Amino acid sequence: MGKRPKISVIGAGRVGEHVALFCAIKELGDVVLYDIVENMPQGKALDLYQTMPLGGWDSKIYGTNDYADIADSDIVVITAGFPRKPGMSRDDLLKANADIVKTAAENVAKYAPNSFVIVVTNPLDAMTQLAWHVTGFPKNRVMGQAGNLDSARFCAFISMELNVSVRDVQALVLGGHGDDMVPLPKYTVVNGVTVDQLIPQDRLQALIERTRFGGGEIVKLLGYSAYYAPALATVKMVEAILKDQKSLQACAALCEGEYGINGVYCGVPCILGAGGVEKIVEIQLTKEEVEALQASAGRVKGLVDQLKEFGYIK
Ligand code: APR
């Protein structure tokens, strides 16, 4: 057996601490929790470490304010950044979070040059592209979490609507992690039965809309953005890579011609395994779906162009 995997989480806020918790509960490896705020990650890590004996979970969690402690991580999750407040779009966070993600990515390249990087900070697709650019890592090692979350939200709404077990529902949502994401009803099933056979068209459309604005709905209720589902959606990717699951998950990956999208990170179905994003799977889409996906990628490109304008990406 090799050494225990090391998972580092940059940003020990709501999403980061729950990524650490879920990784530890699932015993995926030992976790380092980094934050810029002094003492906070150390405090949270101690509390998490002390949770482990209660559950009988064999994981260790350390907190730090020193990037050197992420040395030789197998996986680094970047959650550092500002979350949305009511009335804000994810794109409103672009410049503030670009500074934070750039610094994080520079340190990942320095201390954990062989790691896989999963970005969670919004605006997701543009921040993932920035991390890829700054680390200089190959595209298979840098990816963003969004599709899993958007798909889980769609699953949850379908389960509520039909009063069926969440276990029975599988959904696929592609596109950028914005209000123009592309839920795919024909790939969304309840134990193999496509939802369009179970839910009338107008209701299905309403659920699709609710999914698109699923993040915003929570921001409005809470005053800050969601974290339980975003965290576990991320840990699903960590698990797929560490266990070489060859798991098909929607995640932000660099498209180079797939779906007619070129040079932009966007939510697409990927095979996640020991090689990170081992493959982007090209599934059959209608003309309208492809157009919606390309439009969504076009909006990501707009943000990436802004990053170029501001000098973050050359
Ligand atoms: N370096 C490291 N950590 C930082 C830095 C920095 N330069 N700047 C801020 N942070 C930390 C904050 O101290 C905070 O602990 O990032 C953490 C962010 O946590 P929260 O404010 O709780 O935000 P969270 O809900 O976790 O969301 C983080 O994920 O889903 C996205 O839109 C969300 O971009 C946001 C990110």
Side-chain angles (χ1 to χ4, degrees):
M1 289 288 280
K3 65 178 177 60
R4 291 154 73 108
K6 177 170 175 179
I7 304 153
S8 291
V9 183
I10 312 298
R14 293 188 184 93
V15 177
E17 66 189 323
H18 287 89
V19 168
L21 175 64
F22 289 130
C23 282
I25 285 179
K26 284 171 155 284
E27 299 185 337
L28 296 180
D30 294 333
V31 183
V32 172
L33 202 49
Y34 170 92
D35 204 282
I36 200 163
V37 177
E38 272 182 37
N39 296 326
M40 180 268 270
Q42 291 86 340
K44 288 188 179 180
L46 257 183
D47 189 6
L48 284 164
Y49 204 134
Q50 292 162 7
T51 309
M52 297 299 109
L54 293 164
W57 299 304
D58 184 17
S59 300
K60 299 183 170 74
I61 303 106
Y62 305 96
T64 184
N65 303 118
D66 184 354
Y67 267 116
D69 289 327
I70 71 166
D72 300 325
S73 300
D74 296 285
I75 300 203
V76 180
V77 176
I78 300 179
T79 77
F82 298 101
R84 283 196 283 171
K85 297 203 177 80
M88 283 176 90
S89 81
R90 294 178 179 92
D91 297 355
D92 292 337
L93 300 167
L94 185 72
K95 211 157 177 253
N97 283 352
D99 284 320
I100 297 171
V101 170
K102 182 169 177 274
T103 305
E106 284 165 352
N107 281 288
V108 173
K110 182 172 173 190
Y111 292 109
N114 299 314
S115 60
F116 292 93
V117 181
I118 303 174
V119 179
V120 188
T121 306
N122 275 311
L124 189 274
D125 305 86
M127 290 302 107
T128 311
Q129 183 127 3
L130 177 61
W132 170 67
H133 177 82
V134 172
T135 56
F137 288 1
K139 63 178 179 176
N140 62 303
R141 286 208 274 127
V142 183
M143 64 210 89
Q145 188 295 119
N148 269 344
L149 168 62
D150 299 328
S151 302
R153 286 184 171 145
F154 196 21
C155 284
F157 295 141
I158 290 163
S159 158
M160 289 174 199
E161 178 79 7
L162 292 172
N163 192 22
V164 295
S165 166
V166 287
R167 273 181 211 253
D168 291 348
V169 190
Q170 285 186 310
L172 194 55
V173 179
L174 304 183
H177 186 47
D179 301 338
D180 56 2
M181 64 181 77
V182 188
L184 297 175
K186 81 171 173 222
Y187 290 107
T188 298
V189 293
V190 180
N191 261 339
V193 182
T194 50
V195 278
D196 49 10
Q197 299 179 60
L198 301 170
I199 303 178
Q201 199 50 41
D202 57 330
R203 279 304 304 156
L204 188 54
Q205 205 47 47
L207 301 185
I208 287 173
E209 282 309 296
R210 194 171 176 196
T211 301
R212 285 210 177 100
F213 296 95
E217 184 179 354
I218 293 174
V219 174
K220 224 170 166 183
L221 290 165
L222 287 180
Y224 45 84
S225 63
Y227 48 100
Y228 296 118
L232 193 52
T234 308
V235 172
K236 244 183 104 140
M237 296 172 69
V238 173
E239 187 171 27
I241 295 170
L242 289 177
K243 294 186 176 169
D244 192 21
Q245 285 176 334
K246 315 290 186 201
S247 170
L248 192 152
Q249 302 185 19
C251 57
L254 183 69
C255 293
E256 289 183 305
E258 294 89 351
Y259 298 103
I261 299 166
N262 230 322
V264 180
Y265 269 84
C266 184
V268 284
C270 297
I271 298 293
L272 295 185
V277 176
E278 296 187 352
K279 191 181 173 194
I280 294 175
V281 181
E282 289 197 82
I283 57 172
Q284 274 185 9
L285 298 177
T286 63
K287 191 167 158 284
E288 291 73 35
E289 287 164 344
V290 172
E291 282 168 4
L293 189 55
Q294 290 176 346
S296 181
R299 238 175 36 83
V300 175
K301 186 172 177 301
L303 295 179
V304 171
D305 286 344
Q306 284 186 46
L307 289 176
K308 285 181 183 162
E309 235 168 76
F310 298 146
Y312 291 99
I313 293 182
K314 281 169 203 82

